[in-house]
Amino acid sequence: MVSFREPRRNVSSIAIIGAGPSGLAAAKYLLAEQCFTNVTILEQRATVGGTWNYVPISPSELTSKELVVPQTDPHAGHDVPLWRSSGAESGLLGEQEQSGDAVFLSPLYERLETNIPRNLMGFSDLDWSDECQLFPTHEEVMAYIERYAKDVRHLIRFRTQVLDVRLVEGQGGKDQWVVRTKSVAADDRGNDGEQMYDAVVVASGHFNVPYIPNLKGIKAWNERYPGVILHSKFYRRFEEYKGKKVVVVGNSASGIDIGAQISTVCARPLLQSARSESFLLRDASSSVRDMPEIIEFILPAAGNSPIRAVRFADGTIEGNINAIVFCTGYFYSYPFLQSLDPPLVSDGTRTENLYQHLFYRPHPTLAFPTLPQKIIPFPIAEAQSAVVARVWSGRLSLPSESDMRDWERTTLSENGPGRGFHLLKFPKDADYIDELHDWAMSAEPGEGGVKGKEPPYWGEKEYWMRERFPAIKRAFQGLGEGRRGVRRVEEIGFDFEAWKREREEEGKRLL
C-alpha cells in the first residue's frame, strides 16, 4: 500500500527551463495556484516554441561539433549557439561571430507536418485556427504556440542559456537550487548570472543530442566518405536527395515521414532499414524497399569491391550509396544537472531516479515534464503541470521516498532499463493523462478557495481517435495536395458518432 506524506508548502520561487509547449503549460498551471511569488521562464532562444523553432540549415554548413559519427555519448555538453544576421533565412555564421540573434538547431524540417490530428494535439484551453489543416504544418504549430504563450510571455527571460543547476541547503534546511545562466544576446554575450530558486521545472526537451549507433566500421566509413551519413536532426529538404541512392535508418514517425518525402525524388527504391515493424501505417509502394538493420559499413578492398557499401542483417550488400539518414532518436541529456547525486542519466536511454516519469525522487522540487515516448505531448504537459503545481503549492502530497523508489523498480521490471522505460504506447498514454487528471483534481482547495487550473481528461472520443490516428494520418496523406483543405477527421471518413451508433446497433442485434 502506498503511503502519502502530509502536504506542505515550502516553495515560493520557481524557475522553468525552456519556453516550449511544456514550459509554457507549467507556467500557466503554477500561476493558477495563486501562491508563488516568482515564476521565471529561462529560454535560450529569442522566441517561444522550443523544438518547434525551424532553423534552415544545409548539411554542408554542419561541422564536426554538430554532427558526430557515431554519436553514443549522452553527455555531449551544452547546446552550441549559432549566429546569423537578424531576419536571415539561412547562412548561419558559426559560433564565433556575433551578428543578430543566436539560434539553436532543432529537428524540424521544411515540410514537416504533425503525425497527430489537431483535435488530439492541442491544449485544452486554446482552439486551433479555422484555417489550420487537420495535421498541422510546423508553421501552424508555431503560430499556435505563440498564441498560447501570450498571457505568460511577461515571465520569459529570452536569450538566457542555463549553464548549471545545483542543489544547496537554504534557510531553515530546505532544498534550494542555484541556477547559473549566461546571456546569448549578441550585444550582451557571455554575461553570467546566478539566482536561487525553491523549485525548478526542466522543460528543455529531449531532442538535442542525436543517437547514431556505433555499428561495425561506421567511424572509418564516415571518415572515408564525409557528408554521406546524417542524423534526422539535420535533415531539412528532400530536394537535396534528387537522383541519389538513399538509405533511411529507422521507421518511427520521423523515419517514415522523411523516407516518404525523399522517395519522391531519390533513385528508386529508397531503402528503409529497421529492426522491427513500425507502429505507423504506410501504404505499400514500389518507391520504398524495407530492409533489415545495417550490421556493417564496408570499406572497399582491392578488386571490384563496391564503394560506399553497407551490409544488412540478411547478408544483402548495397553499394554506391549517396546518403544515409539515421532516424534513430535522441539521448536524454541534461548538461546543466551534472552535479546531481544520484544522477539523472547514465547511458542516456532514460532519465533515472524519477517518480511517475516526472519528479526527481530524492528532491521532488525538481520536475521533468513530457519525458515519455509515443505520447501526445501537449495534453500530457498540462496534466503533469497540474500535479506539479498542486504538489508544490502544498495541496497534494507525494508518497514516501521508498514508495517512489518502488514505483521506479516496478516500471523497470515491466518496461526494461533502456528506451522502453518511458514508453507509453496507447492506451497507456491516454490512461496516464486521466490518472494525472484525477490525482490533480483530488486536491483540496487552497487559501481563499483556490482550485487551480483543471487539466484535460480524455473520454471515449479521445480514446477512439487516439487508437485510429495512424490510419487517419494515412488517409490524410493519401489525398496529396488535397489534404491541405481538410480540417476535420469526419471529412476523410472517421466519424466517432457514426461509429458509436453502429456499435450500439450491433449490440442490440446481439441481444
Side-chain angles (χ1 to χ4, degrees), residues 161-182:
Q161 186 174 37
V162 174
L163 299 179
D164 186 63
V165 176
R166 192 170 296 268
L167 179 69
V168 297
E169 186 175 303
Q171 292 182 349
K174 74 173 184 178
D175 289 350
Q176 288 194 293
W177 302 91
V178 178
V179 178
R180 187 163 61 87
T181 62
K182 75 171 181 180

Side-chain angles (χ1 to χ4, degrees), residues 101-296:
D101 282 324
V103 296
F104 294 85
L105 295 181
S106 78
L108 290 194
Y109 42 94
E110 186 177 74
R111 301 203 185 185
L112 181 143
E113 297 173 343
T114 69
N115 65 323
I116 306 169
R118 69 182 200 179
N119 315 60
L120 280 182
M121 181 178 177
F123 295 107
S124 61
D125 57 352
L126 183 65
D127 291 332
W128 292 85
S129 163
D130 291 340
E131 300 306 311
C132 176
Q133 66 184 42
L134 177 61
F135 289 85
T137 65
H138 68 79
E139 294 93 345
E140 290 172 324
V141 176
M142 187 63 176
Y144 180 77
I145 295 171
E146 287 173 340
R147 286 198 293 124
Y148 185 72
K150 282 183 179 179
D151 54 353
V152 294
R153 197 175 182 90
H154 64 286
L155 305 176
I156 305 173
R157 284 172 51 192
F158 290 108
R159 305 176 182 87
T160 302
Q161 186 174 37
V162 174
L163 299 179
D164 186 63
V165 176
R166 192 170 296 268
L167 179 69
V168 297
E169 186 175 303
Q171 292 182 349
K174 74 173 184 178
D175 289 350
Q176 288 194 293
W177 302 91
V178 178
V179 178
R180 187 163 61 87
T181 62
K182 75 171 181 180
S183 170
V184 289
D187 57 357
D188 189 32
R189 188 178 180 192
N191 187 16
D192 287 3
E194 190 173 280
Q195 190 165 342
M196 193 93 73
Y197 296 92
D198 299 321
V200 177
V201 177
V202 180
S204 53
H206 47 88
F207 299 101
N208 295 321
V209 182
Y211 168 61
I212 299 178
N214 187 17
L215 300 173
K216 182 179 180 180
I218 190 172
K219 189 175 190 298
W221 200 94
N222 182 65
E223 292 170 353
R224 174 74 69 90
Y225 308 119
V228 176
I229 295 175
L230 192 74
H231 189 274
S232 59
K233 178 178 180 178
F234 310 109
Y235 167 80
R236 292 297 180 266
R237 304 176 70 249
F238 67 83
E239 291 88 348
E240 296 175 357
Y241 299 87
K242 186 175 182 179
K244 295 181 178 180
K245 184 173 183 178
V246 180
V247 180
V248 171
V249 180
N251 62 357
S252 287
S254 62
I256 292 292
D257 193 36
I258 289 171
Q261 290 187 12
I262 293 176
S263 70
T264 63
V265 297
C266 71
R268 296 189 177 185
L270 176 135
L271 305 178
Q272 187 113 33
S273 168
R275 289 184 297 181
S276 58
E277 187 175 351
S278 176
F279 76 99
L280 296 169
L281 300 177
R282 187 186 70 197
D283 290 323
S285 171
S286 60
S287 62
V288 178
R289 183 197 304 167
D290 289 320
M291 302 293 292
E293 60 187 301
I294 295 174
I295 60 171
E296 184 181 5

Side-chain angles (χ1 to χ4, degrees), residues 53-129:
N53 280 270
Y54 174 62
V55 179
I57 185 171
S58 168
S60 63
E61 295 181 86
L62 296 172
T63 69
S64 59
K65 181 171 286 190
E66 286 91 40
L67 181 58
V68 178
V69 180
Q71 170 54 274
T72 58
D73 181 12
H75 307 289
H78 296 84
D79 288 352
V80 178
L82 303 172
W83 302 83
R84 68 180 179 194
S85 300
S86 297
E89 290 299 319
S90 61
L92 298 179
L93 303 178
E95 61 173 306
Q96 298 304 318
E97 300 190 46
Q98 303 181 32
S99 176
D101 282 324
V103 296
F104 294 85
L105 295 181
S106 78
L108 290 194
Y109 42 94
E110 186 177 74
R111 301 203 185 185
L112 181 143
E113 297 173 343
T114 69
N115 65 323
I116 306 169
R118 69 182 200 179
N119 315 60
L120 280 182
M121 181 178 177
F123 295 107
S124 61
D125 57 352
L126 183 65
D127 291 332
W128 292 85
S129 163

